[in-house]
Amino acid sequence: MAAWRAFLSTAHLLERRIEEQLKAAAGLTHPQYEILTRLSDTPGHQMRMTELAKGVVVSKSALTYQITQLEKAGLVERATCPGDERGVLAVLTDAGVRCLERVAPGHLEVVRAYLIDRISREELHTMTTAMQKTETVLRASG
Amino acid sequence: MAAWRAFLSTAHLLERRIEEQLKAAAGLTHPQYEILTRLSDTPGHQMRMTELAKGVVVSKSALTYQITQLEKAGLVERATCPGDERGVLAVLTDAGVRCLERVAPGHLEVVRAYLIDRISREELHTMTTAMQKTETVLRASG
DNA sequence: TAAGAGTGGTTCAGATTTGAACAACGACCC
DNA sequence: GGGTCGTTGTTCAAATCTGAACCACTCTTA
């Protein structure tokens, strides 16, 4: 269970560091940053609400809240989904793209400094495949 | 960065599963369970508030809140710290011990089913040392 | 021994998350 | 067509987390 202990503590500690860094650099929270990057990685920079919620692993209501916040900040817009009248598309704005370009380097720097660079290339590779396996299982049985 | 993505998603997904399982099994939240196990692992089943907060990686105020909740549930008691009049000791009660004994198996089962058993023994070992390294760094520079 | 600085916990306001309830739409079957 | 069921996103109340402000106590230092 030492593995689990270390995993959990590391996750919490990293979360804290990241939150702190993002807040200082751009007034963003980590969930908000995750939303922006997910959108940025999508062709068209847009995604359906439910799909996005599953991607970043938060409840639908939490996503509704955060998208509203990001909309106020001008980084995201809501659009009605063509072909499905109930659907809502979250769309990354130009300002959102620029914000991400400005913030991403500092964020990645933190992740790298505290996680990636601390472990060997081989350990990293092993951990990646392990994490991907468990992620697959968790998503499948969700 | 695939490593980081997978790590993050896995952490969130597992957190969700665990929260769900603990709530169903004993009406506990994950932070509460973490507090109980930390106390249980301590000689005398007691710990100072600040130290405990650092251990489980939450803010002092969050710990105050949760200890109050656990006190209401009768699983933990507050005691004044001998030798330091301002200090407060969180003490696991007998009911707390019994609660933990009842809940722990199911909890560990979830962790094992979704994380431990999904990866090879060697991967587990590698991941453990990697996590411990990063945890050390994060705690030291915190 | 009397500041002055530091620590330990709590309180407080504000932000965020969750699950349940809800309303609106789509898909399907008769 | 119309009814039934599943999906989508939002709203709502309740719970929780955080950082700042705040007391109470401890430790140094002159």
Side-chain angles (χ1 to χ4, degrees):
Chain A
M1 280 296 116
W4 174 234
R5 272 297 163 78
F7 180 86
L8 205 48
S9 291
T10 300
H12 286 161
L13 288 162
L14 252 181
E15 192 70 39
R16 236 159 201 250
R17 257 342 135 73
I18 286 168
E19 202 77 45
E20 187 182 334
Q21 192 272 327
L22 284 175
K23 194 83 75 182
L28 285 177
T29 66
H30 192 201
Q32 287 169 353
Y33 180 85
E34 289 190 75
I35 290 170
L36 295 182
T37 51
R38 287 271 167 183
L39 288 178
S40 172
D41 288 348
T42 304
H45 287 182
Q46 53 184 254
M47 207 184 292
R48 289 287 291 268
M49 294 294 277
T50 296
E51 190 189 359
L52 186 49
K54 282 182 189 162
V56 300
V57 190
V58 291
S59 65
K60 286 183 299 173
S61 19
L63 184 63
T64 293
Y65 175 77
Q66 287 298 359
I67 290 293
T68 304
Q69 297 307 107
L70 290 170
E71 214 171 12
K72 282 180 196 165
L75 305 177
V76 163
E77 279 174 356
R78 271 183 238 249
T80 56
C81 181
D84 190 344
E85 202 57 35
R86 356 163 244 188
V88 171
L89 278 174
V91 187
L92 197 58
T93 65
D94 289 347
V97 174
R98 285 195 301 275
C99 174
L100 215 40
E101 283 170 355
R102 208 182 59 234
V103 177
H107 171 73
L108 297 182
E109 174 56 30
V110 172
V111 177
R112 209 171 282 126
Y114 288 107
L115 182 63
I116 312 283
D117 289 352
R118 297 298 166 178
I119 63 189
S120 73
R121 186 160 300 281
E122 192 193 334
E123 283 175 329
L124 179 63
H125 180 65
T126 299
M127 201 185 80
T128 304
T129 60
M131 289 293 103
Q132 284 172 345
K133 266 189 275 183
T134 65
E135 181 185 356
T136 303
V137 173
L138 279 159
R139 288 205 185 271
S141 70
Chain B
M1 279 298 113
W4 174 235
R5 268 307 159 73
F7 180 87
L8 205 50
S9 290
T10 301
H12 286 161
L13 288 163
L14 253 181
E15 192 71 39
R16 226 150 211 257
R17 259 337 137 75
I18 287 168
E19 202 77 44
E20 187 182 335
Q21 191 271 327
L22 284 175
K23 195 83 75 181
L28 285 177
T29 66
H30 192 202
Q32 287 169 353
Y33 180 84
E34 289 190 75
I35 291 170
L36 295 181
T37 51
R38 286 269 167 185
L39 288 177
S40 173
D41 288 348
T42 304
H45 287 181
Q46 52 184 253
M47 207 184 294
R48 289 288 291 270
M49 293 293 277
T50 297
E51 191 189 358
L52 186 50
K54 282 182 188 161
V56 300
V57 191
V58 291
S59 65
K60 286 185 297 174
S61 18
L63 183 63
T64 294
Y65 176 76
Q66 287 297 359
I67 291 294
T68 304
Q69 298 307 108
L70 290 170
E71 215 172 11
K72 282 180 196 165
L75 306 176
V76 163
E77 279 173 355
R78 272 182 237 248
T80 56
C81 181
D84 190 344
E85 202 57 35
R86 10 174 227 178
V88 172
L89 235 32
V91 187
L92 197 58
T93 65
D94 289 347
V97 174
R98 285 194 301 275
C99 173
L100 215 40
E101 282 168 355
R102 207 182 60 233
V103 177
H107 171 73
L108 297 183
E109 174 55 31
V110 172
V111 177
R112 208 171 283 124
Y114 288 108
L115 182 63
I116 312 283
D117 288 352
R118 296 301 166 174
I119 64 189
S120 73
R121 187 160 300 280
E122 190 193 335
E123 283 176 328
L124 179 62
H125 180 65
T126 300
M127 200 185 81
T128 305
T129 60
M131 289 292 103
Q132 285 171 344
K133 268 190 274 183
T134 65
E135 181 185 357
T136 304
V137 173
L138 280 160
R139 288 204 185 272
S141 70

